[in-house]
């Protein structure tokens, strides 16, 4: 498999090794706006190694690059070193340039977080809860969700399961899962800030699991933050 290292941006230390031959629509988006994408990602840290970028032309080919087994309908999958996108021509509806840019931002945010959290001495990905992993990528790609959108989740029958949604639940409740992840992560960021994020990443890179890293960085268990937040959301259902 042939790669060419030709797409680089100073911001965030982003370097993409692009597979040949490459999808024209994705390449055009990157060549037009790589600096802007990298500048937005720089708010979340720096890449420590290049990212190998591929394009798949069907869902089975895309899923084979996923770091764990999945049956979700995906637009991209990411690990700490690789990003594979579904070719835009294979999306149910070919995306506008803005949607493609957001997908690139979302998936590259995953790569960045994995690089920042995965232990440097081990060939394994950091294990992150769904709300933290997907929430960070959603906020990085789309910006903070409006707080009043919490009301959309207040009476959800599976609210307590959504923060740690597995593959099956995300397949059934994808919109709610991603909305909750964005809202919960932004609430976490409002409380613990970039300093807390850097501290969690640093502790995980040193070998701590997420819960241990969270206790060290934030002074509480993750559930000590998540459960009160869920309770506050449920309370909104009672206020109408």
């Amino acid at each position: 498999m042939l790669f060419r290292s030709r797409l680089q941006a100073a911001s965030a230390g982003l370097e993409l090794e692009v597979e040949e031959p490459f999808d024209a629509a994705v390449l055009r988006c990157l060549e037009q706006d790589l600096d802007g994408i990298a500048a937005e990602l720089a708010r979340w840290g720096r890449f420590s190694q290049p990212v190998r970028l591929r394009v798949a032309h069907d869902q089975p080919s895309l899923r084979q690059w996923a770091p764990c087994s999945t049956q979700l309908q995906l637009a991209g999958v990411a690990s700490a070193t690789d990003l594979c996108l579904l070719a835009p021509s294979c999306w149910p509806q070919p995306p506008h340039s803005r949607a493609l840019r957001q997908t690139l931002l979302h998936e590259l945010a995953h790569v960045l977080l994995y690089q920042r959290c995965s232990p440097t001495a081990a060939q394994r990905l950091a294990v992150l809860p769904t709300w933290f992993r997907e929430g960070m990528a959603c906020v990085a790609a789309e910006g903070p969700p409006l707080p009043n959108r919490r009301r959309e989740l207040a009476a959800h029958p599976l609210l307590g399961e959504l923060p740690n949604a597995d593959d099956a639940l995300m397949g059934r409740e994808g919109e709610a899962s991603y909305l909750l992840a964005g809202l919960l992560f932004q609430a976490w960021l409002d409380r613990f800030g970039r300093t807390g994020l850097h501290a969690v990443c640093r502790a995980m890179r040193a070998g701590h699991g997420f819960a241990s890293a969270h206790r060290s960085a934030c002074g509480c268990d993750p559930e000590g933050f998540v459960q009160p937040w869920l309770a506050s959301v449920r309370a909104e259902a009672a206020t109408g």
Side-chain angles (χ1 to χ4, degrees), residues 73-227:
Q73 295 295 307
L74 302 167
V77 296
S79 70
T81 55
D82 292 87
L83 169 55
C84 187
L85 296 171
L86 184 66
S89 60
C90 300
W91 289 28
Q93 293 183 329
H96 295 295
S97 57
R98 183 170 180 267
L100 181 55
R101 185 184 191 276
Q102 281 191 338
T103 298
L104 281 162
L105 260 172
H106 185 106
E107 298 302 331
L108 283 168
H110 279 315
V111 177
L112 177 58
L113 188 61
Y114 280 136
Q115 287 194 8
R116 295 197 63 201
C117 289
S118 297
T120 54
Q123 297 300 310
R124 59 183 175 87
L125 280 181
V127 178
L128 298 161
T130 303
W131 68 268
F132 196 87
R133 180 189 72 240
E134 295 299 337
M136 182 269 189
C138 286
V139 172
E142 303 166 31
L146 295 173
N148 62 9
R149 296 201 67 193
R150 288 162 40 120
R151 289 185 174 273
E152 298 175 34
L153 299 169
H156 196 290
L158 299 175
L159 181 64
E161 299 176 37
L162 292 177
N164 297 302
D166 60 12
D167 192 78
L169 182 55
M170 291 191 76
R172 299 194 310 271
E173 299 287 347
E175 183 177 354
S177 297
Y178 284 105
L179 175 57
L180 179 136
L183 286 164
L184 182 50
F185 179 81
Q186 184 60 47
W188 183 92
L189 195 65
D190 290 342
R191 177 170 170 182
F192 299 108
R194 306 280 170 168
T195 300
L197 178 61
H198 298 333
V200 168
C201 293
R202 185 168 57 249
M204 292 193 72
R205 199 165 57 250
H208 290 266
F210 180 76
S212 175
H214 195 280
R215 286 192 294 271
S216 173
C218 304
C220 65
D221 287 322
E223 290 302 297
F225 171 76
V226 171
Q227 292 305 319

